[in-house]
């Protein structure tokens, strides 16, 4: 027992124990902003805990673009991963965070329940061109009792042009997510099946098809590729696309308050220990 140790040794013992014991148990980042704010400011693969301490997930964090802190939830970069998949795959996520992947609708939904997020879509073509589109508000079924039943409905607003134009708001905002085996789009046809993708398809299906076929630039039949119509038109399949989310500044200040509360409660524990176990 600590009480049997001389006070100085007991303090040393606690000092040695606390940093190792407390940090891994208590630091379970929700997203890449938490990781950045904890001091890891290099882009790369990290673990996040959006569904609690027993369900870590690997995710790619973009810590460089426009201030960093971006949690990437969709990434196409070389065409090595098949994105023409069914509902369960899109709900749970697939691929690997170091390469091409989809983080999963349930995870994205859980994140947007916890903080207010913005959305950014970064695009590259095969000729070295780059562009992006930003949306100041992004969430999936934030008010639904059951988000999956609600179809992980997309809510975006506040478009800001980074040269790519807005290929999302008019058609995709307010739409449920659709896959070839779960048609929740408003068209008579099955948009996911016709355009070989999975997305929040809406009236006319889409003018952006980030999860479409990876077709290496210009291709003859329009709309089935990795399309962002307002930038490269319907018959150009992009080289690189990343969809990423970051808490807006209001939520960031909430995060800071949260960690201050954690520190306060830690101090409370220490004080409690000092009360109950006098050194
Ligand atoms: Ca349909």
């Amino acid at each position: 027992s600590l009480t049997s140790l001389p006070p100085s040794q007991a303090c040393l013992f606690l000092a040695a124990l606390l940093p190792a014991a407390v940090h891994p148990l208590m630091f379970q980042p929700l997203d890449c902003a938490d990781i950045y704010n904890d001091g890891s400011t290099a882009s790369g693969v990290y673990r996040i805990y959006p569904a609690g301490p027993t369900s870590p997930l690997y995710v790619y964090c973009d810590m460089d673009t426009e201030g960093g802190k971006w949690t990437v939830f969709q990434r196409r970069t070389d065409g090595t991963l098949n994105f023409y998949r069914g509902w369960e795959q899109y709900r749970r996520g697939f691929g690997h965070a170091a390469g091409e992947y989809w983080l999963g609708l349930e995870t994205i939904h859980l994140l947007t329940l916890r903080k207010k997020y913005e959305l950014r879509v970064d695009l590259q073509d095969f000729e070295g061109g780059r562009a992006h589109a930003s949306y100041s508000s992004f969430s999936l079924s934030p008010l639904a009792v059951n988000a999956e039943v609600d179809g992980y409905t997309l809510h975006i607003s506040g478009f800001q042009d980074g040269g790519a134009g807005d290929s999302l708001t008019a058609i995709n905002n307010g739409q449920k997510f659709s896959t070839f085996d779960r048609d929740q789009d408003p068209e008579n046809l099955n948009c996911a099946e016709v355009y070989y993708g999975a997305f929040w398809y809406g009236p006319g299906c889409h003018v952006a098809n980030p999860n479409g076929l990876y077709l290496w630039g210009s291709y003859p039949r329009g709309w089935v590729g990795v399309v962002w119509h307002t930038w490269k038109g319907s018959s150009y399949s992009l080289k690189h696309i990343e969809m990423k989310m970051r808490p807006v500044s209001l939520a960031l200040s909430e995060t800071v308050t949260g960690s201050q509360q954690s520190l306060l409660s830690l101090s409370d524990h220490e004080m409690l220990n000092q009360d109950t176990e006098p050194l």
Side-chain angles (χ1 to χ4, degrees):
S1 150
L2 287 178
T3 50
S4 61
L5 290 170
S8 61
Q9 281 185 30
C11 287
L12 277 175
F13 176 75
L14 272 182
L17 187 68
L18 275 173
V22 170
H23 193 267
L25 287 174
M26 294 196 64
F27 185 61
Q28 284 161 351
L30 181 71
D31 59 15
C32 295
D34 285 355
I35 291 166
Y36 187 99
N37 292 335
D38 187 59
S40 298
T41 58
S43 291
V45 175
Y46 293 92
R47 264 194 307 203
I48 58 172
Y49 298 81
T54 59
S55 308
L57 281 176
Y58 287 99
V59 71
Y60 188 86
C61 296
D62 175 354
M63 303 301 205
D64 295 304
T65 303
E66 194 208 340
K69 309 185 184 184
W70 297 99
T71 301
V72 176
F73 67 84
Q74 189 265 10
R75 198 152 180 256
R76 313 288 297 273
T77 192
D78 53 19
T80 53
L81 186 64
N82 175 22
F83 274 67
Y84 190 50
R85 298 178 184 230
W87 179 261
E88 194 57 20
Q89 295 274 311
Y90 271 91
R91 190 183 71 78
R92 297 177 57 152
F94 56 86
H96 296 284
E100 299 198 313
Y101 75 103
W102 173 262
L103 183 59
L105 290 163
E106 182 65 21
T107 298
I108 303 168
H109 161 71
L110 287 176
L111 289 173
T112 64
L113 284 186
R114 298 281 297 277
K115 299 178 182 176
K116 292 185 189 303
Y117 281 91
E118 59 183 320
L119 168 69
R120 179 179 167 118
V121 186
D122 278 306
L123 311 172
Q124 293 178 28
D125 64 21
F126 284 89
E127 289 74 46
R130 290 165 178 258
H132 71 269
S134 298
Y135 300 84
S136 61
S137 178
F138 166 67
S139 63
L140 301 188
S141 292
L143 303 176
V145 174
N146 183 320
E148 184 175 10
V149 170
D150 195 49
Y152 299 105
T153 297
L154 176 68
H155 296 270
I156 49 166
S157 61
F159 168 71
Q160 292 168 291
D161 198 1
D166 184 2
S167 288
L168 290 185
T169 307
I171 290 175
N172 306 110
N173 184 41
Q175 298 298 329
K176 297 179 177 186
F177 200 89
S178 282
T179 52
F180 62 74
D181 59 346
R182 189 169 296 193
D183 177 357
Q184 306 190 103
D185 66 60
E187 292 292 326
N188 287 329
L189 50 76
N190 182 333
C191 295
E193 195 174 65
V194 170
Y195 297 107
Y196 298 103
F199 209 52
W200 294 276
Y201 294 115
C205 287
H206 78 86
V207 294
N209 202 25
N211 298 322
L213 299 177
Y214 196 92
L215 294 173
W216 293 273
S218 295
Y219 65 98
R221 182 191 157 186
W223 303 109
V224 297
V226 184
V227 166
W228 192 271
H229 181 255
T230 51
W231 189 43
K232 301 293 288 187
S234 62
S235 294
Y236 191 96
S237 186
L238 301 170
K239 179 186 184 185
H240 185 92
I241 181 168
E242 279 183 6
M243 302 182 76
K244 54 194 76 172
M245 54 201 289
R246 175 170 74 178
V248 295
S249 48
L250 176 65
L252 279 177
S253 62
E254 283 168 1
T255 303
V256 170
T257 309
S259 40
Q260 281 169 349
Q261 282 169 349
S262 302
L263 287 174
L264 279 177
S265 57
L266 178 60
S267 304
D268 290 342
H269 280 299
E270 287 174 323
M271 286 160 67
L272 194 64
N273 286 343
Q274 281 167 7
D275 288 345
T276 52
E277 297 177 284
L279 301 175

